[in-house]
Amino acid sequence: MIEYSFISKTSHPTDSFKEYLIKKLSKIDWLLDDAAADAKVTLEKNNNSNYDLTITLIVKNIRQNVSEKTYKASSTHSDAYAAVDLVEEKLKRQIRKTLTAINRDDRRLRSFKNTL
């Protein structure tokens, strides 16, 4: 379950934007199983009418041997919704990379124990 906190420096996110972001990040939630996560969403509109979106995701107990892991992704785009799509893909990649490494290490450890 992901808990969200929104921080806006220059433009306030609308309710539809928040709903869209939560919907997109729910696709990441299934990767995390039952791990608790906090998402800090920062949205800023700069002088060039571009949106700077940064999401910091702190996941607690992603796996048994990993107590806490922090993921951070940011994107700049003229459309805030497109920025959400880009950030969601970046976070997915980071989480999958971590889970693959953890699973690979677990398999190596199990095979090592079996040889003893």
Side-chain angles (χ1 to χ4, degrees):
M1 182 75 183
I2 300 175
E3 303 229 357
Y4 300 92
S5 62
F6 290 89
I7 299 170
S8 180
K9 295 183 180 177
T10 55
S11 67
H12 297 288
T14 62
D15 290 336
S16 63
F17 175 79
K18 290 179 182 179
E19 289 174 11
Y20 183 77
L21 183 110
I22 291 170
K23 180 182 173 187
K24 291 298 270 185
L25 291 185
S26 68
K27 295 178 181 180
I28 292 174
D29 200 16
W30 71 270
L31 284 171
L32 302 176
D33 291 333
D34 294 331
D38 296 323
K40 179 180 153 189
V41 180
T42 306
L43 180 67
E44 182 177 355
K45 189 171 184 179
N46 60 22
N47 294 337
N48 301 334
S49 297
N50 287 336
Y51 290 95
D52 294 328
L53 177 68
T54 303
I55 298 178
T56 304
L57 187 67
I58 301 171
V59 181
K60 297 169 183 73
N61 297 326
I62 191 167
R63 287 287 193 253
Q64 191 173 15
N65 54 350
V66 180
S67 62
E68 184 174 291
K69 186 76 175 157
T70 302
Y71 302 98
K72 186 174 183 179
S74 61
S75 177
T76 301
H77 203 277
S78 60
D79 181 20
Y81 294 93
V84 170
D85 294 340
L86 295 171
V87 168
E88 182 242 346
E89 287 298 320
K90 290 178 183 181
L91 287 173
K92 254 197 229 179
R93 258 193 318 258
Q94 292 176 18
I95 293 170
R96 283 186 181 148
K97 184 177 178 181
T98 300
L99 293 177
T100 301
I102 291 170
N103 290 334
R104 181 179 47 240
D105 291 345
D106 287 347
R107 282 193 306 270
R108 286 181 183 164
L109 185 61
R110 279 193 304 251
S111 68
F112 179 72
K113 286 181 180 178
N114 289 337
T115 59
L116 293 179

